[in-house]
Amino acid sequence: LTRSRNILVSCTDAYDTVQYWAGSAGTFTSVLNTSAPVAKYAINFQSFLILLNTSTRKRGFYYEDELTQLTGDWGDSFDFESSADDEVTNAFTLGTRLFVSTRYRLFKVSFVGGNPDWEVRPVKEWGYVPRTVDKLFIKDVGEVAIGESWDRRLRIFDGTDDRIVSDNFENDN
């Protein structure tokens, strides 16, 4: 579940319809918006609800202002530059920065407004495995992301540098 303004948003790996919950007792989940794409991942960043990795656009980045997330047309989108077999696998924030991981790359995404609305810069030539990233705070370093990369290593990333903290994971781990 991802909080976006005053609702919780739920996406699934099976590309089920994106649902939201208003959070009050006695209510059920509802369809987020019939115009919203069916996506695997959701994240809220700088007052936008962002949906990532749809069944038809694996590198797709769809965004809608959180004030119109339930009624908007969800017409704003772009794809991450990468190979055709790449796909978005994670999204997380470190401080005030948004990072989106694909299988092969890690991107820093910033809202700049205008045309284009978003600045996308590749920062690393590796990506995290789906749903393996977690954030933690390390004294003298700050907030970091830790997770398994596709080369089967555990990596810590602080927003600029990364450190491998394990050997290759074996198949039986």
Side-chain angles (χ1 to χ4, degrees):
L1 295 173
T2 300
R3 175 166 290 286
S4 183
R5 193 171 168 101
N6 58 350
I7 62 171
L8 293 175
V9 178
S10 173
C11 295
T12 68
D13 288 343
Y15 296 108
D16 294 326
T17 304
V18 179
Q19 300 283 308
Y20 83 95
W21 181 56
S24 59
T27 60
F28 299 95
T29 61
S30 299
V31 173
L32 175 70
N33 182 328
T34 55
S35 298
V38 177
K40 277 190 180 182
Y41 309 104
I43 190 165
N44 185 287
F45 180 69
Q46 291 189 334
S47 299
F48 289 96
L49 176 58
I50 299 165
L51 298 177
L52 302 155
N53 188 338
T54 67
S55 61
T56 57
R57 290 174 62 189
K58 302 284 188 187
R59 292 174 283 124
F61 181 105
Y62 295 83
Y63 59 98
E64 184 71 37
D65 187 290
E66 65 184 10
L67 296 174
T68 59
Q69 62 194 354
L70 298 175
T71 58
D73 66 0
W74 282 89
D76 298 319
S77 66
F78 63 88
D79 287 343
F80 288 96
E81 295 288 328
S82 193
S83 60
D85 65 335
D86 203 1
E87 67 179 90
V88 172
T89 59
N90 283 290
F92 57 91
T93 58
L94 291 176
T96 60
R97 299 167 295 179
L98 173 65
F99 294 93
V100 176
S101 172
T102 67
R103 293 179 68 193
Y104 307 127
R105 296 174 117 177
L106 188 62
F107 295 91
K108 179 181 176 187
V109 182
S110 304
F111 182 75
V112 292
N115 187 13
D117 286 336
W118 299 88
E119 176 187 30
V120 178
R121 288 192 342 233
V123 292
K124 295 294 175 184
E125 293 298 319
W126 53 265
Y128 285 115
V129 173
R131 306 211 190 267
T132 63
V133 177
D134 204 358
K135 294 189 303 186
L136 55 103
F137 186 84
I138 298 177
K139 185 178 178 182
D140 299 329
V141 176
E143 188 177 44
V144 297
I146 187 168
E148 181 184 357
S149 61
W150 285 92
D151 60 1
R152 302 173 75 183
R153 289 176 163 75
L154 193 61
R155 290 184 185 259
I156 293 179
F157 178 68
D158 69 1
T160 54
D161 292 323
D162 65 288
R163 181 177 302 158
I164 297 172
V165 293
S166 74
D167 291 333
N168 278 350
F169 291 123
E170 298 297 328
N171 287 331
D172 58 352
N173 280 351

